[in-house]
Amino acid sequence: MTLPRAYLENRIPMVSCPICYKSVKAGDINRHLDSDCLSFLDQPAPPSNTQPNGTQAKPFKAASFFTPSTQKTVSFKEEDGSSPMATSAHRGFSSTQPQTPSARPPTSTASAPVHGVKRSAENLQDDHNATDEAEHQQHEPIKPAPPSKKQKSNAHAPLAERMRPKTLDEVAGQELVGPNGVLRNLITTDRVPSMILWGSPGTGKTTIARLIAQTAGTRFVEINSTSSGVAECKKLFTEAKNELSLTGRKTIIFCDEIHRFSKSQQDVFLGPVENGQVTLIGATTENPSFKVVNALLSRCRTFTLSKLGDEDVFGILKRGLAREVPDALPTPTASPASGDTDAEQHESEENGSQQSSGHLLTTDDYALLHYLASFADGDARTGLNLLELAIDLCKRPGTTSDDIKQSLTQTLVYDRAGDQHYDTISAFHKSVRGSNADAALYYLARMLQSGEDPLYVARRMVVIASEDVGLADNSLLSLATATYTAAEKIGMPECRINLAHCAVALCQAPKSTRSYRGLKAAYAALSEPGVAGLPIPVHLRNAPTRLMKELGYGKDYKYNPEYVDGRIVQEYLPEKLEGRTFLSTRDLGEKVDPEIVELDEQVKVAEQFDRVQEDMLLNPDGD
């Protein structure tokens, strides 16, 4: 028996394309993907749903094993009298294009009739009703759609999370992703490399990584080094390989706090990153040169995110204030004769309460907002958290700006194991070397307030006493070692006084680097070819045994204390270095700063002017 062609076509299983989500015959799916989703699309079937025995054939649904997880929730509900292919294609299209709140509602809800299929009277009546309703909607004003439930679910998130930029243009203070930024050019040309984003907290590392994946249209997977292990990473690599081979879509793996990964965990990324199986974006607040293995660092590009300025943070806080308190600025109120209803009056009262809550943040040209921006110290996340706290405090009756300032806690940006640890002690040392006691006390207080070990600071001052003060005042070394002993015996907080005493004394003491520069000159000589292995002069060698004495060790050595004033003629350097000097006769260097010459000229002119003013003779009237 020969089956009808229409019956056979209805029995062919349909699948949903994983890229365009349109219905395609199972046998044509590979050729459909090879044609960039342009050919082998499903066409409406001929008008025949009758089997050879005269019964109605139940249409097949499109198989969903090719459909991504986000699309499997779509229900392909069948209705009598509709083509299964048209139904699946229509449902697939609607599931991949959700309506936004600003989208215009459809002008017609009637479905297009399928030719060749008998329709009931009820369906015809429904079509007439739907057409009348659509014509009625065309004459009504368009009303904005209510906000989606997804926005409501994010209402309880912190303000810093809700204020994350949605596009690269909204990222503030980072030239890398600016209009002419290097990183932005790589993103727009679809040449995103594996990279390490290095920057302070709150500079936008996580936000930039998410926007890179969103702009490039790639699959984005976010992991954290504190909760992800080697097994999970290998599983992600396998999924990325399958995704690339099936759909051609790349995978970006964002690893936050990558410096917390151990060496073995970082080595797992070497192969997949090198062969392009995944694109790694690592974020770290530590120096990658010390925290990321060299093999992985050589396969990635390092981008340094600059610290946000106060104006950048102020702009972010101002946008956050406009989002949280839209009516913070004063607006003209309606007159009583305008005929407001009770509902409108209640709404105006709520707006007035919001306006009063944001009034403190907008007065004096946003003075309090500028204070919060400087308080955040370049951390946008900290600034938004402080703004959220300030908005809540403003809602209390009788709250003043001073009350808000007292409620804030200073966030000390200092890490005893990170760059701030070394940068601050370096600034302290250089301030003492430059005899600037004010700067030295500032950095000393900053370290101690942040919990730095006082013995660490005391050890550095012992070094300063010999390196920078040196021969100019030999007593400072004794003071520095006594300060270390006092800090060890007393401890914090009292030992901070001993540390300040020694720091100021080192600043005000004369400076001499003769011994330190002489030592460096000797080290430099050792780097010359053959100098490090020159033989010791025979008369200076030790002769503890008879054999060594017979070999002439120590012979003809002149013992200085046996001579008048200890003056003798004797060579001490190896023969090749005779006459060479390492110790300079100057306490300091010979360079001249051009700026100090200009400053001396200004001081000289000012002194001459003061001298002329003193030499002027006054007449009897005092003029």
Side-chain angles (χ1 to χ4, degrees), residues 608-623:
Q608 292 177 354
F609 179 77
D610 293 340
R611 192 179 300 112
V612 171
Q613 292 293 331
E614 293 177 357
D615 294 342
M616 291 180 61
L617 297 178
L618 301 180
N619 57 21
D621 296 333
D623 298 334

Side-chain angles (χ1 to χ4, degrees), residues 122-299:
E122 295 179 357
N123 291 338
L124 294 175
Q125 183 64 29
D126 293 338
D127 288 345
H128 288 299
N129 295 336
T131 303
D132 296 339
E133 183 178 355
E135 293 177 354
H136 178 69
Q137 289 179 354
Q138 290 180 354
H139 300 283
E140 290 184 354
I142 301 175
K143 297 180 179 180
S148 61
K149 294 183 178 179
K150 186 175 182 181
Q151 294 179 349
K152 293 183 179 179
S153 62
N154 197 30
H156 299 288
L159 180 59
E161 181 66 25
R162 287 181 277 128
M163 284 296 298
R164 283 192 183 274
K166 301 299 187 296
T167 61
L168 292 175
D169 295 331
E170 297 180 7
V171 179
Q174 299 300 338
E175 295 296 333
L176 285 174
V177 294
N180 300 322
V182 177
L183 186 55
R184 181 161 190 156
N185 182 43
L186 294 175
I187 297 171
T188 54
T189 56
D190 196 16
R191 293 184 292 110
V192 179
S194 295
M195 67 186 74
I196 302 294
L197 299 178
W198 175 30
S200 304
T203 54
K205 299 183 293 297
T206 303
T207 299
I208 291 177
R210 294 178 180 176
L211 292 178
I212 288 175
Q214 175 183 331
T215 306
T218 58
R219 177 170 172 261
F220 185 75
V221 180
E222 187 171 346
I223 63 176
N224 194 290
S225 58
T226 59
S227 58
S228 302
V230 175
E232 182 179 353
C233 293
K234 291 182 177 180
K235 181 181 177 181
L236 292 177
F237 299 153
T238 304
E239 295 176 354
K241 184 177 181 180
N242 296 336
E243 181 79 14
L244 184 62
S245 61
L246 179 61
T247 65
R249 188 172 61 162
K250 300 179 181 178
T251 299
I252 291 180
I253 296 181
F254 173 67
C255 181
D256 197 11
E257 305 292 339
I258 194 174
H259 61 272
R260 298 186 183 274
F261 264 151
S262 63
K263 184 178 182 299
S264 59
Q265 289 175 314
Q266 294 183 21
D267 289 341
V268 177
F269 290 90
L270 296 180
V273 170
E274 185 172 11
N275 57 30
Q277 184 175 332
V278 298
T279 300
L280 173 65
I281 300 180
T284 177
T285 57
E286 303 293 339
N287 193 331
S289 303
F290 305 118
K291 297 298 182 178
V292 181
V293 295
N294 293 331
L296 182 59
L297 197 61
S298 64
R299 290 166 172 80

Side-chain angles (χ1 to χ4, degrees), residues 281-541:
I281 300 180
T284 177
T285 57
E286 303 293 339
N287 193 331
S289 303
F290 305 118
K291 297 298 182 178
V292 181
V293 295
N294 293 331
L296 182 59
L297 197 61
S298 64
R299 290 166 172 80
C300 301
R301 297 185 60 179
T302 302
F303 294 100
T304 304
L305 301 183
S306 58
K307 185 178 179 180
L308 299 181
D310 290 347
E311 290 300 324
D312 297 326
V313 178
F314 172 75
I316 296 173
L317 298 185
K318 194 172 182 181
R319 291 197 301 268
L321 180 62
R323 176 191 179 100
E324 292 298 299
V325 190
D327 299 325
L329 296 177
T331 55
T333 57
S335 60
S338 59
D340 294 340
T341 61
D342 295 339
E344 293 176 348
Q345 291 179 358
H346 179 68
E347 183 178 356
S348 63
E349 292 176 359
E350 291 182 352
N351 294 337
S353 62
Q354 290 183 351
Q355 177 179 340
S356 61
S357 65
H359 177 66
L360 292 176
L361 297 171
T362 57
T363 54
D364 296 335
D365 195 17
Y366 299 93
L368 186 56
L369 212 61
H370 280 288
Y371 177 80
L372 296 179
S374 60
F375 202 87
D377 193 24
D379 190 339
R381 184 183 295 107
T382 300
L384 289 172
N385 292 337
L386 294 175
L387 175 63
E388 192 172 17
L389 175 62
I391 292 175
D392 293 338
L393 294 175
C394 287
K395 295 178 181 178
R396 300 178 181 178
T399 303
T400 62
S401 299
D402 294 335
D403 296 336
I404 296 177
K405 293 179 180 180
Q406 293 177 1
S407 302
L408 302 179
T409 55
Q410 176 66 51
T411 302
L412 297 175
V413 184
Y414 191 85
D415 186 1
R416 290 181 56 183
D419 291 339
Q420 285 290 329
H421 168 77
Y422 298 103
D423 292 344
T424 310
I425 193 64
S426 175
F428 170 75
H429 189 158
K430 293 172 182 176
S431 300
V432 174
R433 180 182 297 153
S435 301
N436 193 323
D438 298 322
L441 290 174
Y442 165 74
Y443 292 116
L444 175 63
R446 181 169 170 174
M447 289 186 290
L448 297 179
Q449 179 68 21
S450 301
E452 184 59 84
D453 184 7
L455 295 180
Y456 173 73
V457 183
R459 283 194 298 268
R460 179 55 67 96
M461 288 195 291
V462 174
V463 176
I464 294 174
S466 294
E467 178 183 344
D468 298 290
V469 178
L471 301 176
D473 190 347
N474 296 322
S475 63
L476 266 298
L477 180 58
S478 301
L479 175 62
T481 54
T483 302
Y484 179 86
T485 304
E488 185 179 22
K489 299 296 183 182
I490 298 176
M492 286 291 288
E494 288 82 2
C495 74
R496 73 187 191 280
I497 304 174
N498 307 109
L499 297 174
H501 173 197
C502 183
V504 174
L506 291 172
C507 289
Q508 297 180 350
K511 305 298 189 295
S512 173
T513 59
R514 289 180 62 198
S515 58
Y516 182 49
R517 286 187 287 114
L519 179 64
K520 292 196 297 183
Y523 271 103
L526 293 178
S527 62
E528 299 176 6
V531 175
L534 292 176
I536 305 298
V538 178
H539 64 279
L540 298 180
R541 297 181 185 180

